């Protein structure tokens, strides 16, 4: 097998693209060096020139997924609360639309430390909306850090319940109003500046 992609193109990007294709339907377990390199048309050894192991490739795939997720979390220009709502519903919507990728983005790459989360584009979108609420006086600065984890926990928890928990049997028409209610409830509960 020739390593044509390695000699004539961007093999790292091709490997990530093949990883995206595999994980979209199969989640993190579907990604193997052997299958990714087979799809790209190179030997497994060629992958190791760019990624020292499967976990490194999975982290690169995860980063690409997180960027796509953030792109789908459109912010509303109307108000920071509307932006926060759009970010939360965008997060849930992505999870429901792309469950394989969602699994990779937050658990598949193996790094679930708080530091890894705060660098993710999805987290940064949430932080930006909350920062704007503080900036305009709609959120007490002392409550900012707690608000981040309350909002994140709500949308992530709802997504997990919808994908793998007791809500997984509901169709989208039944599920989406519950998602909206969860997001609206957590936003309404954020402490305002007095």
């Amino acid at each position: 097998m020739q390593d044509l992609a390695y000699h004539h193109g961007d093999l790292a990007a091709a490997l990530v693209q093949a990883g995206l294709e595999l994980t979209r339907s199969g989640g993190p377990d579907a990604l193997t060096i052997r299958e990714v390199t087979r799809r790209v048309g190179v030997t497994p050894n060629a992958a190791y020139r760019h990624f020292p192991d499967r976990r490194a490739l999975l982290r690169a795939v995860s980063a690409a997924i997180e960027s796509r997720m953030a792109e789908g979390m459109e912010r509303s220009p109307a108000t920071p609360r509307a932006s926060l709502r759009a970010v939360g519903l965008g997060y849930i919507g992505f999870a429901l639309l792309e469950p394989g990728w969602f699994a990779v983005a937050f658990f598949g790459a193996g790094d679930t430390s708080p530091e890894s989360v705060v660098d993710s584009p999805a987290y940064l979108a949430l932080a930006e909306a909350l920062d704007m609420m503080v900036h305009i006086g709609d959120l007490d600065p002392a409550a900012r850090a707690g608000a981040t984890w309350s909002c994140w926990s709500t949308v992530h928890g709802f997504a997990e319940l919808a994908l793998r928990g007791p809500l997984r049997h509901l169709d989208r028409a039944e599920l989406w109003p519950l998602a909206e209610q969860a997001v609206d409830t957590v936003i309404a509960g954020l402490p305002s500046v007095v």
Side-chain angles (χ1 to χ4, degrees):
M1 183 180 298
Q2 288 186 324
D3 292 343
L4 295 176
Y6 179 72
H7 293 292
H8 300 291
D10 187 351
L11 180 57
L15 294 168
V16 169
Q17 182 59 42
L20 286 167
E21 293 166 8
L22 285 167
T23 58
R24 187 171 209 170
S25 61
D29 293 339
L31 187 129
T32 65
I33 295 288
R34 182 168 305 284
E35 182 57 23
V36 166
T37 55
R38 186 192 69 73
R39 285 179 178 232
V40 173
V42 297
T43 63
N45 284 341
Y48 295 117
R49 295 179 187 141
H50 300 279
F51 301 101
D53 54 26
R54 175 188 177 272
R55 188 172 179 181
L57 176 58
L58 194 54
R59 277 194 300 271
V61 170
S62 178
I65 291 168
E66 289 176 39
S67 292
R68 289 178 182 208
M69 182 181 207
E71 289 170 11
M73 300 168 80
E74 295 182 27
R75 281 74 133 182
S76 168
T79 67
R81 280 188 184 259
S83 287
L84 183 58
R85 186 177 197 269
V87 165
L89 290 174
Y91 186 97
I92 293 169
F94 183 88
L96 298 177
L97 186 63
E98 301 289 357
W101 280 354
F102 184 73
V104 171
F106 294 101
F107 298 112
D111 188 1
T112 57
S113 67
E115 295 78 25
S116 71
V117 172
V118 298
D119 290 335
S120 79
Y123 180 92
L124 295 173
L126 167 64
E128 179 183 311
L130 289 169
D131 288 343
M132 285 306 301
M133 288 177 66
V134 170
H135 178 73
I136 67 164
D138 198 18
L139 177 63
D140 185 339
R144 169 63 178 76
T148 303
W149 293 109
S150 295
C151 292
W152 189 285
S153 297
T154 298
V155 297
H156 190 82
F158 188 90
E160 287 293 327
L161 290 171
L163 292 174
R164 291 178 260 296
L167 301 178
R168 72 184 178 278
H169 302 295
L170 298 180
D171 65 32
R172 179 76 181 230
E174 295 173 290
L175 193 58
W176 198 248
L178 296 175
E180 291 176 321
Q181 183 179 9
V183 170
D184 292 342
T185 299
V186 75
I187 292 171
L190 294 175
S192 298
V193 175
V194 202

